[in-house]
Amino acid sequence: MSIARPLHGRLLGRCLASTQPRAAAAAATAPCQQQFHSSATRSKRRSRFRNVTAAKMGLLDPSVLSDYRKAHFPEYTSEELAVLKGKYTAEQFEALEAGEKAISTDDMIMQGRLRDDPYRPNYIEDYTVLDPRYDVKPKVDVTPQEPEWLDRDAWADKYGSKMTELTDKKTTQQLTRAMVRALRRVKESNGADLIDLTEAELDDMEKDPDLLQKYLVQGDSSAEAEAEAETDAADGDMLTRAQAMKLDEAIDSQWQQELEKLSLVEDPVEVEPSNLELLADGPAGERRVYSAEAAELGKVPGVEGLYKSAADPEDDGQDDGGNYQEIKRLTGMTLKDIQSIYRKVLVTRWVSNQTRLGKVRSTSVLAIAGNGNGRLGLGVAKSSEPALAAETAQLLAIRNMKPIRRYEQRTIYGNSRGKVSGTVVELFARPPGFGLRCPHRIFEMCRACGIHDIHARMPRSKNPMNSVKAAFAALTNQLDPEEIAIGRGKKLVDVRKVYYGGAVY
């Protein structure tokens, strides 16, 4: 019968042999190098990034700091101080000065140095300057029209009048352009001194026929017209009868030529309205271009009452299917409050149930819900549809929300422990700024209930479902120091709030 000798005994014996008196000198020069484990030693980990010191960045040079301070954080001039004193009251100006003194420019330069490269982010928002991408709104030239539900005859009449109006406008524009071209030819041939319109004005009228209204003489009274004619004759600007007849004949001849060219036009686009003009009054037309909100459709005749109405008119049409009515009844919250709750699916499992018909597969979901201010809930649901299981679990989590005790609204009271089956979760309170250093599922739970500083440890099983349940048990079963102090007949005082006057954040 052979007995195996333990390995650690032999290794320990070798290391202790070097401590004997006769081998003291050898042990001092050659210490025991034998390790108690068989794995290889790990080399020191090196960072992939170079460490840039403050001296290389020029942050320790007083001249560089002064130049940077003058360039980016200049002092207020006397004119600027006068403007600020005129804009703010004495108390407000005093508060501004106190805020300026409380912020050290050297700390901003050293700890939060502003980048000067082209890819730097916008650290400071200047609200005194308008950004055209966000601040300048488009000029509203048109007003959206309310929709009209017309019967067949009324719609046909309106459409016919609209087409007639568009056709007349198109024809008028073509005739105006023909008249402008005739005037240009007459001016080029023999009417340069008779027509006082410039080439630029003629070009503008040909591009925009509506400008012709600016040059037309409005119908004045006979007395005003005679007075104006006498004034023009006295100034020498009045045309003679022969010049007027010659000008009319030249314009008539050129006008006839232009009309003949218009009659030979084969392209229907020149005369018929375009598709954009036909859609000007439609949902995507010019009248709806600057409308940020669709017009109210109202009740459509003929289909009113045929469809299911909203379950609750106070929901403003956001829950027409009635999915949130039961949770609203159980919790007493409004739909807006329910939708503002943070919800997340943490665990998803695919399970199956063996029946006489075979395996029936379904999805089991565990979700959490929290308002971010001390309330947290768990919900478990199972369904053959994953989306339905996730939605049901989230609604159950909202219904099962419970208060979570928080110290200073950021961490737990002391240390807490929760155990579910073989999973143990240990939570530890941490100081301000420590953060959430815990597994990702516990991280989501802490974020949902409003805990910002905590450390968690799971020394045993890491089962996803049990870890969430154990963390929830640890959060809800915290020891209350107030109750412990009352049970001992003593008074509990928060020393941090006493010494810091409540400013503990």
Short mmCIF file of all heavy atoms in Angstrom, two decimals, residues 122-181:
data_model
loop_
_atom_site.label_atom_id
_atom_site.label_comp_id
_atom_site.label_asym_id
_atom_site.label_seq_id
_atom_site.Cartn_x
_atom_site.Cartn_y
_atom_site.Cartn_z
N ASN A 122 -16.86 71.60 -27.87
CA ASN A 122 -17.30 72.91 -27.37
C ASN A 122 -17.53 72.81 -25.87
O ASN A 122 -18.58 72.34 -25.40
CB ASN A 122 -18.57 73.36 -28.09
CG ASN A 122 -18.32 73.62 -29.56
OD1 ASN A 122 -17.23 74.03 -29.94
ND2 ASN A 122 -19.32 73.37 -30.39
N TYR A 123 -16.53 73.22 -25.10
CA TYR A 123 -16.66 73.15 -23.64
C TYR A 123 -17.59 74.24 -23.11
O TYR A 123 -18.31 74.04 -22.14
CB TYR A 123 -15.28 73.30 -22.98
CG TYR A 123 -14.34 72.15 -23.24
CD1 TYR A 123 -13.34 72.24 -24.19
CD2 TYR A 123 -14.47 70.96 -22.53
CE1 TYR A 123 -12.49 71.17 -24.42
CE2 TYR A 123 -13.63 69.90 -22.76
CZ TYR A 123 -12.63 70.01 -23.70
OH TYR A 123 -11.80 68.96 -23.92
N ILE A 124 -17.54 75.41 -23.72
CA ILE A 124 -18.27 76.57 -23.20
C ILE A 124 -19.31 76.99 -24.24
O ILE A 124 -19.01 77.14 -25.43
CB ILE A 124 -17.31 77.74 -22.91
CG1 ILE A 124 -16.24 77.31 -21.90
CG2 ILE A 124 -18.07 78.95 -22.39
CD1 ILE A 124 -15.20 78.35 -21.62
N GLU A 125 -20.54 77.17 -23.79
CA GLU A 125 -21.62 77.63 -24.65
C GLU A 125 -21.76 79.13 -24.50
O GLU A 125 -21.95 79.63 -23.38
CB GLU A 125 -22.93 76.92 -24.27
CG GLU A 125 -22.96 75.45 -24.60
CD GLU A 125 -23.11 75.19 -26.09
OE1 GLU A 125 -23.41 76.15 -26.82
OE2 GLU A 125 -22.91 74.04 -26.51
N ASP A 126 -21.67 79.85 -25.60
CA ASP A 126 -21.82 81.29 -25.60
C ASP A 126 -23.25 81.62 -26.01
O ASP A 126 -23.61 81.55 -27.19
CB ASP A 126 -20.82 81.94 -26.57
CG ASP A 126 -20.81 83.46 -26.43
OD1 ASP A 126 -21.55 83.97 -25.57
OD2 ASP A 126 -20.08 84.14 -27.18
N TYR A 127 -24.07 81.94 -25.02
CA TYR A 127 -25.48 82.20 -25.30
C TYR A 127 -25.72 83.64 -25.77
O TYR A 127 -26.87 84.00 -26.04
CB TYR A 127 -26.32 81.93 -24.03
CG TYR A 127 -26.32 80.47 -23.64
CD1 TYR A 127 -25.54 80.03 -22.59
CD2 TYR A 127 -27.09 79.55 -24.32
CE1 TYR A 127 -25.53 78.70 -22.23
CE2 TYR A 127 -27.09 78.22 -23.97
CZ TYR A 127 -26.31 77.80 -22.92
OH TYR A 127 -26.30 76.49 -22.56
N THR A 128 -24.67 84.44 -25.84
CA THR A 128 -24.83 85.80 -26.35
C THR A 128 -24.77 85.85 -27.87
O THR A 128 -25.04 86.90 -28.46
CB THR A 128 -23.74 86.71 -25.76
OG1 THR A 128 -22.45 86.21 -26.16
CG2 THR A 128 -23.83 86.73 -24.25
N VAL A 129 -24.39 84.76 -28.53
CA VAL A 129 -24.26 84.71 -29.99
C VAL A 129 -25.25 83.69 -30.51
O VAL A 129 -25.36 82.58 -29.99
CB VAL A 129 -22.82 84.32 -30.40
CG1 VAL A 129 -22.71 84.28 -31.92
CG2 VAL A 129 -21.81 85.29 -29.81
N LEU A 130 -25.98 84.07 -31.54
CA LEU A 130 -26.97 83.19 -32.14
C LEU A 130 -26.29 82.22 -33.09
O LEU A 130 -25.46 82.61 -33.91
CB LEU A 130 -28.02 84.00 -32.90
CG LEU A 130 -29.00 84.81 -32.06
CD1 LEU A 130 -29.94 85.58 -32.96
CD2 LEU A 130 -29.80 83.91 -31.14
N ASP A 131 -26.62 80.94 -32.96
CA ASP A 131 -26.13 79.92 -33.87
C ASP A 131 -27.21 79.67 -34.90
O ASP A 131 -28.32 79.23 -34.56
CB ASP A 131 -25.83 78.63 -33.09
CG ASP A 131 -25.07 77.63 -33.93
OD1 ASP A 131 -25.07 77.79 -35.17
OD2 ASP A 131 -24.46 76.71 -33.36
N PRO A 132 -26.94 79.92 -36.18
CA PRO A 132 -28.02 79.76 -37.18
C PRO A 132 -28.51 78.34 -37.32
O PRO A 132 -29.60 78.11 -37.81
CB PRO A 132 -27.36 80.26 -38.48
CG PRO A 132 -25.89 80.15 -38.23
CD PRO A 132 -25.69 80.40 -36.77
N ARG A 133 -27.73 77.36 -36.85
CA ARG A 133 -28.19 75.97 -36.96
C ARG A 133 -29.29 75.65 -35.95
O ARG A 133 -30.09 74.73 -36.18
CB ARG A 133 -27.01 75.02 -36.73
CG ARG A 133 -25.93 75.13 -37.78
CD ARG A 133 -24.75 74.27 -37.41
NE ARG A 133 -24.14 74.71 -36.15
CZ ARG A 133 -23.15 74.07 -35.54
NH1 ARG A 133 -22.68 72.96 -36.06
NH2 ARG A 133 -22.64 74.54 -34.43
N TYR A 134 -29.32 76.37 -34.84
CA TYR A 134 -30.28 76.05 -33.79
C TYR A 134 -31.18 77.23 -33.41
O TYR A 134 -32.35 77.03 -33.09
CB TYR A 134 -29.56 75.58 -32.52
CG TYR A 134 -28.45 74.59 -32.79
CD1 TYR A 134 -27.12 74.95 -32.61
CD2 TYR A 134 -28.73 73.31 -33.22
CE1 TYR A 134 -26.10 74.05 -32.85
CE2 TYR A 134 -27.72 72.40 -33.47
CZ TYR A 134 -26.41 72.77 -33.29
OH TYR A 134 -25.41 71.88 -33.53
N ASP A 135 -30.63 78.44 -33.43
CA ASP A 135 -31.34 79.58 -32.85
C ASP A 135 -32.22 80.33 -33.84
O ASP A 135 -33.26 80.84 -33.47
CB ASP A 135 -30.33 80.56 -32.23
CG ASP A 135 -29.48 79.88 -31.16
OD1 ASP A 135 -30.01 78.95 -30.53
OD2 ASP A 135 -28.33 80.26 -30.97
N VAL A 136 -31.78 80.46 -35.10
CA VAL A 136 -32.52 81.25 -36.07
C VAL A 136 -33.64 80.40 -36.65
O VAL A 136 -33.39 79.33 -37.21
CB VAL A 136 -31.59 81.77 -37.18
CG1 VAL A 136 -32.38 82.58 -38.19
CG2 VAL A 136 -30.48 82.61 -36.58
N LYS A 137 -34.85 80.85 -36.51
CA LYS A 137 -36.00 80.12 -37.04
C LYS A 137 -36.32 80.57 -38.46
O LYS A 137 -36.06 81.71 -38.83
CB LYS A 137 -37.22 80.36 -36.14
CG LYS A 137 -37.06 79.82 -34.74
CD LYS A 137 -38.32 80.03 -33.94
CE LYS A 137 -38.16 79.46 -32.53
NZ LYS A 137 -39.38 79.65 -31.73
N PRO A 138 -36.87 79.69 -39.29
CA PRO A 138 -37.23 80.09 -40.65
C PRO A 138 -38.36 81.11 -40.65
O PRO A 138 -39.22 81.12 -39.76
CB PRO A 138 -37.65 78.78 -41.32
CG PRO A 138 -38.06 77.90 -40.18
CD PRO A 138 -37.18 78.28 -39.04
N LYS A 139 -38.33 81.95 -41.63
CA LYS A 139 -39.36 82.98 -41.75
C LYS A 139 -40.66 82.34 -42.25
O LYS A 139 -40.67 81.65 -43.27
CB LYS A 139 -38.90 84.06 -42.72
CG LYS A 139 -39.82 85.28 -42.76
CD LYS A 139 -39.28 86.32 -43.73
CE LYS A 139 -37.93 86.84 -43.27
NZ LYS A 139 -37.44 87.91 -44.16
N VAL A 140 -41.72 82.58 -41.53
CA VAL A 140 -43.01 81.99 -41.87
C VAL A 140 -43.69 82.90 -42.89
O VAL A 140 -44.09 84.02 -42.58
CB VAL A 140 -43.88 81.82 -40.61
CG1 VAL A 140 -45.22 81.22 -40.97
CG2 VAL A 140 -43.16 80.95 -39.59
N ASP A 141 -43.82 82.41 -44.12
CA ASP A 141 -44.44 83.17 -45.19
C ASP A 141 -45.88 82.75 -45.44
O ASP A 141 -46.63 83.48 -46.09
CB ASP A 141 -43.65 83.03 -46.49
CG ASP A 141 -42.23 83.60 -46.35
OD1 ASP A 141 -42.06 84.51 -45.52
OD2 ASP A 141 -41.33 83.11 -47.04
N VAL A 142 -46.26 81.56 -45.04
CA VAL A 142 -47.59 81.05 -45.32
C VAL A 142 -48.21 80.55 -44.02
O VAL A 142 -47.53 80.35 -43.02
CB VAL A 142 -47.54 79.91 -46.36
CG1 VAL A 142 -47.13 80.43 -47.71
CG2 VAL A 142 -46.59 78.82 -45.90
N THR A 143 -49.49 80.32 -44.06
CA THR A 143 -50.24 79.85 -42.90
C THR A 143 -50.94 78.54 -43.27
O THR A 143 -51.60 78.47 -44.30
CB THR A 143 -51.30 80.88 -42.48
OG1 THR A 143 -50.64 82.13 -42.21
CG2 THR A 143 -52.02 80.40 -41.22
N PRO A 144 -50.78 77.49 -42.48
CA PRO A 144 -51.45 76.23 -42.79
C PRO A 144 -52.96 76.40 -42.77
O PRO A 144 -53.51 77.13 -41.94
CB PRO A 144 -50.97 75.28 -41.69
CG PRO A 144 -49.76 75.93 -41.12
CD PRO A 144 -49.92 77.40 -41.30
N GLN A 145 -53.59 75.72 -43.67
CA GLN A 145 -55.05 75.76 -43.75
C GLN A 145 -55.65 74.54 -43.11
O GLN A 145 -55.09 73.44 -43.15
CB GLN A 145 -55.50 75.85 -45.22
CG GLN A 145 -55.16 77.17 -45.89
CD GLN A 145 -55.73 77.24 -47.29
OE1 GLN A 145 -56.20 76.24 -47.82
NE2 GLN A 145 -55.67 78.41 -47.88
N GLU A 146 -56.80 74.72 -42.50
CA GLU A 146 -57.52 73.61 -41.92
C GLU A 146 -58.12 72.75 -43.04
O GLU A 146 -58.58 73.27 -44.05
CB GLU A 146 -58.63 74.11 -41.00
CG GLU A 146 -58.12 74.84 -39.77
CD GLU A 146 -57.42 73.91 -38.82
OE1 GLU A 146 -57.69 72.69 -38.89
OE2 GLU A 146 -56.59 74.38 -38.02
N PRO A 147 -58.10 71.42 -42.90
CA PRO A 147 -58.67 70.56 -43.96
C PRO A 147 -60.19 70.71 -44.04
O PRO A 147 -60.87 70.99 -43.05
CB PRO A 147 -58.26 69.16 -43.52
CG PRO A 147 -58.08 69.26 -42.05
CD PRO A 147 -57.56 70.64 -41.78
N GLU A 148 -60.69 70.53 -45.23
CA GLU A 148 -62.13 70.62 -45.48
C GLU A 148 -62.60 69.28 -46.07
O GLU A 148 -62.01 68.78 -47.03
CB GLU A 148 -62.46 71.76 -46.46
CG GLU A 148 -62.05 73.13 -45.96
CD GLU A 148 -62.36 74.22 -46.97
OE1 GLU A 148 -62.93 73.87 -48.04
OE2 GLU A 148 -62.05 75.39 -46.72
N TRP A 149 -63.63 68.72 -45.46
CA TRP A 149 -64.20 67.47 -45.95
C TRP A 149 -65.42 67.82 -46.81
O TRP A 149 -66.49 68.13 -46.31
CB TRP A 149 -64.58 66.57 -44.78
CG TRP A 149 -63.44 66.28 -43.87
CD1 TRP A 149 -63.14 66.88 -42.69
CD2 TRP A 149 -62.40 65.34 -44.10
NE1 TRP A 149 -62.01 66.37 -42.15
CE2 TRP A 149 -61.52 65.41 -43.00
CE3 TRP A 149 -62.11 64.43 -45.13
CZ2 TRP A 149 -60.38 64.61 -42.89
CZ3 TRP A 149 -60.98 63.63 -45.01
CH2 TRP A 149 -60.13 63.72 -43.91
N LEU A 150 -65.22 67.74 -48.11
CA LEU A 150 -66.26 68.13 -49.08
C LEU A 150 -66.89 66.90 -49.70
O LEU A 150 -66.26 65.83 -49.79
CB LEU A 150 -65.65 69.00 -50.18
CG LEU A 150 -64.88 70.25 -49.72
CD1 LEU A 150 -64.24 70.94 -50.91
CD2 LEU A 150 -65.81 71.21 -48.98
N ASP A 151 -68.14 67.06 -50.14
CA ASP A 151 -68.76 65.97 -50.87
C ASP A 151 -68.24 65.96 -52.31
O ASP A 151 -67.40 66.77 -52.70
CB ASP A 151 -70.29 66.12 -50.85
CG ASP A 151 -70.73 67.49 -51.35
OD1 ASP A 151 -69.87 68.24 -51.87
OD2 ASP A 151 -71.92 67.82 -51.24
N ARG A 152 -68.73 65.04 -53.12
CA ARG A 152 -68.16 64.84 -54.46
C ARG A 152 -68.39 66.06 -55.35
O ARG A 152 -67.47 66.50 -56.06
CB ARG A 152 -68.77 63.59 -55.09
CG ARG A 152 -68.15 63.23 -56.43
CD ARG A 152 -68.74 61.93 -56.98
NE ARG A 152 -68.11 61.55 -58.22
CZ ARG A 152 -66.98 60.88 -58.32
NH1 ARG A 152 -66.34 60.51 -57.21
NH2 ARG A 152 -66.48 60.56 -59.49
N ASP A 153 -69.59 66.63 -55.34
CA ASP A 153 -69.89 67.77 -56.21
C ASP A 153 -69.09 69.00 -55.79
O ASP A 153 -68.51 69.71 -56.64
CB ASP A 153 -71.39 68.08 -56.17
CG ASP A 153 -72.22 66.93 -56.72
OD1 ASP A 153 -71.66 66.13 -57.51
OD2 ASP A 153 -73.40 66.81 -56.34
N ALA A 154 -69.02 69.26 -54.49
CA ALA A 154 -68.27 70.43 -54.03
C ALA A 154 -66.77 70.27 -54.34
O ALA A 154 -66.10 71.23 -54.73
CB ALA A 154 -68.49 70.64 -52.53
N TRP A 155 -66.25 69.04 -54.20
CA TRP A 155 -64.83 68.82 -54.51
C TRP A 155 -64.57 69.03 -56.00
O TRP A 155 -63.56 69.61 -56.38
CB TRP A 155 -64.44 67.41 -54.10
CG TRP A 155 -63.00 67.10 -54.40
CD1 TRP A 155 -61.92 67.35 -53.62
CD2 TRP A 155 -62.51 66.48 -55.60
NE1 TRP A 155 -60.78 66.94 -54.25
CE2 TRP A 155 -61.10 66.40 -55.48
CE3 TRP A 155 -63.10 66.00 -56.76
CZ2 TRP A 155 -60.29 65.85 -56.46
CZ3 TRP A 155 -62.30 65.45 -57.75
CH2 TRP A 155 -60.91 65.38 -57.60
N ALA A 156 -65.48 68.56 -56.84
CA ALA A 156 -65.30 68.73 -58.29
C ALA A 156 -65.33 70.21 -58.68
O ALA A 156 -64.52 70.66 -59.50
CB ALA A 156 -66.37 67.96 -59.05
N ASP A 157 -66.26 70.97 -58.08
CA ASP A 157 -66.31 72.41 -58.38
C ASP A 157 -65.04 73.12 -57.92
O ASP A 157 -64.49 73.96 -58.64
CB ASP A 157 -67.54 73.03 -57.70
CG ASP A 157 -68.84 72.47 -58.26
OD1 ASP A 157 -68.81 71.92 -59.39
OD2 ASP A 157 -69.88 72.56 -57.57
N LYS A 158 -64.57 72.77 -56.73
CA LYS A 158 -63.35 73.42 -56.22
C LYS A 158 -62.14 73.06 -57.07
O LYS A 158 -61.29 73.91 -57.37
CB LYS A 158 -63.13 73.02 -54.76
CG LYS A 158 -61.95 73.72 -54.12
CD LYS A 158 -61.82 73.35 -52.66
CE LYS A 158 -60.63 74.07 -52.03
NZ LYS A 158 -60.48 73.72 -50.59
N TYR A 159 -62.06 71.79 -57.46
CA TYR A 159 -60.92 71.37 -58.29
C TYR A 159 -60.97 72.05 -59.66
O TYR A 159 -59.94 72.47 -60.19
CB TYR A 159 -60.95 69.85 -58.45
CG TYR A 159 -59.78 69.31 -59.23
CD1 TYR A 159 -58.53 69.19 -58.65
CD2 TYR A 159 -59.93 68.92 -60.56
CE1 TYR A 159 -57.45 68.69 -59.35
CE2 TYR A 159 -58.86 68.42 -61.28
CZ TYR A 159 -57.62 68.31 -60.67
OH TYR A 159 -56.56 67.82 -61.38
N GLY A 160 -62.17 72.19 -60.24
CA GLY A 160 -62.28 72.86 -61.54
C GLY A 160 -61.88 74.32 -61.46
O GLY A 160 -61.16 74.84 -62.33
N SER A 161 -62.33 75.02 -60.41
CA SER A 161 -61.96 76.43 -60.26
C SER A 161 -60.46 76.58 -60.01
O SER A 161 -59.82 77.52 -60.50
CB SER A 161 -62.75 77.05 -59.12
OG SER A 161 -62.47 76.38 -57.90
N LYS A 162 -59.89 75.63 -59.29
CA LYS A 162 -58.45 75.69 -59.03
C LYS A 162 -57.67 75.50 -60.33
O LYS A 162 -56.71 76.23 -60.61
CB LYS A 162 -58.08 74.62 -58.02
CG LYS A 162 -56.60 74.51 -57.76
CD LYS A 162 -56.29 73.37 -56.80
CE LYS A 162 -54.79 73.19 -56.65
NZ LYS A 162 -54.47 72.05 -55.74
N MET A 163 -58.06 74.52 -61.16
CA MET A 163 -57.38 74.29 -62.43
C MET A 163 -57.53 75.49 -63.36
O MET A 163 -56.58 75.88 -64.06
CB MET A 163 -57.93 73.03 -63.09
CG MET A 163 -57.57 71.74 -62.36
SD MET A 163 -55.80 71.44 -62.31
CE MET A 163 -55.47 71.27 -64.05
N THR A 164 -58.72 76.09 -63.35
CA THR A 164 -58.94 77.28 -64.20
C THR A 164 -58.05 78.43 -63.75
O THR A 164 -57.45 79.14 -64.58
CB THR A 164 -60.41 77.69 -64.15
OG1 THR A 164 -61.22 76.59 -64.55
CG2 THR A 164 -60.67 78.88 -65.05
N GLU A 165 -57.95 78.62 -62.46
CA GLU A 165 -57.11 79.70 -61.94
C GLU A 165 -55.64 79.47 -62.28
O GLU A 165 -54.93 80.41 -62.69
CB GLU A 165 -57.29 79.78 -60.43
CG GLU A 165 -56.47 80.88 -59.76
CD GLU A 165 -56.66 80.89 -58.26
OE1 GLU A 165 -57.51 80.12 -57.76
OE2 GLU A 165 -55.95 81.67 -57.58
N LEU A 166 -55.15 78.23 -62.12
CA LEU A 166 -53.76 77.94 -62.46
C LEU A 166 -53.49 78.11 -63.95
O LEU A 166 -52.45 78.64 -64.35
CB LEU A 166 -53.42 76.51 -62.03
CG LEU A 166 -53.33 76.26 -60.52
CD1 LEU A 166 -53.06 74.79 -60.25
CD2 LEU A 166 -52.25 77.11 -59.89
N THR A 167 -54.44 77.69 -64.79
CA THR A 167 -54.26 77.84 -66.24
C THR A 167 -54.24 79.31 -66.64
O THR A 167 -53.42 79.73 -67.48
CB THR A 167 -55.37 77.09 -66.98
OG1 THR A 167 -55.39 75.72 -66.54
CG2 THR A 167 -55.13 77.12 -68.48
N ASP A 168 -55.14 80.09 -66.08
CA ASP A 168 -55.16 81.53 -66.38
C ASP A 168 -53.86 82.20 -65.94
O ASP A 168 -53.31 83.05 -66.65
CB ASP A 168 -56.36 82.20 -65.70
CG ASP A 168 -57.67 81.71 -66.28
OD1 ASP A 168 -57.65 81.13 -67.39
OD2 ASP A 168 -58.71 81.90 -65.62
N LYS A 169 -53.37 81.81 -64.76
CA LYS A 169 -52.12 82.40 -64.28
C LYS A 169 -50.96 82.03 -65.18
O LYS A 169 -50.11 82.87 -65.51
CB LYS A 169 -51.86 81.93 -62.85
CG LYS A 169 -50.60 82.50 -62.23
CD LYS A 169 -50.42 81.99 -60.82
CE LYS A 169 -49.12 82.54 -60.21
NZ LYS A 169 -48.91 82.04 -58.83
N LYS A 170 -50.93 80.78 -65.64
CA LYS A 170 -49.85 80.35 -66.53
C LYS A 170 -49.92 81.09 -67.86
O LYS A 170 -48.90 81.53 -68.41
CB LYS A 170 -49.98 78.84 -66.76
CG LYS A 170 -48.72 78.17 -67.26
CD LYS A 170 -47.78 77.92 -66.13
CE LYS A 170 -46.62 77.05 -66.59
NZ LYS A 170 -45.70 76.78 -65.48
N THR A 171 -51.14 81.26 -68.40
CA THR A 171 -51.29 81.97 -69.69
C THR A 171 -50.90 83.43 -69.54
O THR A 171 -50.23 84.01 -70.42
CB THR A 171 -52.74 81.85 -70.17
OG1 THR A 171 -53.10 80.47 -70.24
CG2 THR A 171 -52.91 82.49 -71.53
N THR A 172 -51.30 84.07 -68.44
CA THR A 172 -50.94 85.46 -68.21
C THR A 172 -49.43 85.64 -68.12
O THR A 172 -48.86 86.61 -68.65
CB THR A 172 -51.62 85.97 -66.93
OG1 THR A 172 -53.03 85.77 -67.01
CG2 THR A 172 -51.33 87.45 -66.71
N GLN A 173 -48.76 84.71 -67.46
CA GLN A 173 -47.31 84.79 -67.37
C GLN A 173 -46.65 84.64 -68.74
O GLN A 173 -45.68 85.36 -69.05
CB GLN A 173 -46.79 83.72 -66.41
CG GLN A 173 -47.16 83.95 -64.95
CD GLN A 173 -46.65 82.84 -64.05
OE1 GLN A 173 -46.12 81.83 -64.53
NE2 GLN A 173 -46.83 83.02 -62.74
N GLN A 174 -47.16 83.76 -69.57
CA GLN A 174 -46.59 83.60 -70.91
C GLN A 174 -46.79 84.86 -71.76
O GLN A 174 -45.89 85.30 -72.49
CB GLN A 174 -47.23 82.39 -71.60
CG GLN A 174 -46.86 81.05 -70.97
CD GLN A 174 -45.38 80.77 -71.03
OE1 GLN A 174 -44.71 81.12 -72.00
NE2 GLN A 174 -44.85 80.16 -69.98
N LEU A 175 -47.97 85.46 -71.66
CA LEU A 175 -48.24 86.69 -72.42
C LEU A 175 -47.36 87.83 -71.91
O LEU A 175 -46.88 88.66 -72.70
CB LEU A 175 -49.72 87.07 -72.32
CG LEU A 175 -50.71 86.08 -72.97
CD1 LEU A 175 -52.14 86.52 -72.71
CD2 LEU A 175 -50.45 85.99 -74.48
N THR A 176 -47.15 87.90 -70.60
CA THR A 176 -46.30 88.95 -70.05
C THR A 176 -44.87 88.79 -70.54
O THR A 176 -44.20 89.77 -70.89
CB THR A 176 -46.34 88.91 -68.51
OG1 THR A 176 -47.71 89.03 -68.07
CG2 THR A 176 -45.52 90.03 -67.91
N ARG A 177 -44.35 87.57 -70.55
CA ARG A 177 -43.00 87.34 -71.06
C ARG A 177 -42.90 87.70 -72.54
O ARG A 177 -41.88 88.25 -72.99
CB ARG A 177 -42.61 85.88 -70.83
CG ARG A 177 -42.42 85.51 -69.36
CD ARG A 177 -41.77 84.15 -69.23
NE ARG A 177 -41.56 83.79 -67.85
CZ ARG A 177 -42.37 83.03 -67.12
NH1 ARG A 177 -43.49 82.56 -67.68
NH2 ARG A 177 -42.09 82.76 -65.86
N ALA A 178 -43.96 87.39 -73.31
CA ALA A 178 -43.95 87.76 -74.73
C ALA A 178 -43.92 89.28 -74.89
O ALA A 178 -43.21 89.82 -75.76
CB ALA A 178 -45.17 87.17 -75.43
N MET A 179 -44.67 90.01 -74.06
CA MET A 179 -44.67 91.47 -74.13
C MET A 179 -43.29 92.03 -73.77
O MET A 179 -42.80 92.98 -74.39
CB MET A 179 -45.73 92.02 -73.19
CG MET A 179 -45.75 93.54 -73.09
SD MET A 179 -46.08 94.34 -74.70
CE MET A 179 -47.79 93.90 -74.92
N VAL A 180 -42.62 91.43 -72.77
CA VAL A 180 -41.28 91.89 -72.38
C VAL A 180 -40.29 91.68 -73.52
O VAL A 180 -39.46 92.55 -73.82
CB VAL A 180 -40.83 91.17 -71.10
CG1 VAL A 180 -39.36 91.48 -70.80
CG2 VAL A 180 -41.70 91.59 -69.93
N ARG A 181 -40.39 90.54 -74.19
CA ARG A 181 -39.49 90.29 -75.32
C ARG A 181 -39.76 91.26 -76.47
O ARG A 181 -38.84 91.72 -77.16
CB ARG A 181 -39.65 88.84 -75.79
CG ARG A 181 -39.11 87.82 -74.79
CD ARG A 181 -38.99 86.46 -75.45
NE ARG A 181 -40.31 85.89 -75.76
CZ ARG A 181 -41.00 85.11 -74.96
NH1 ARG A 181 -40.51 84.79 -73.76
NH2 ARG A 181 -42.18 84.63 -75.32
#
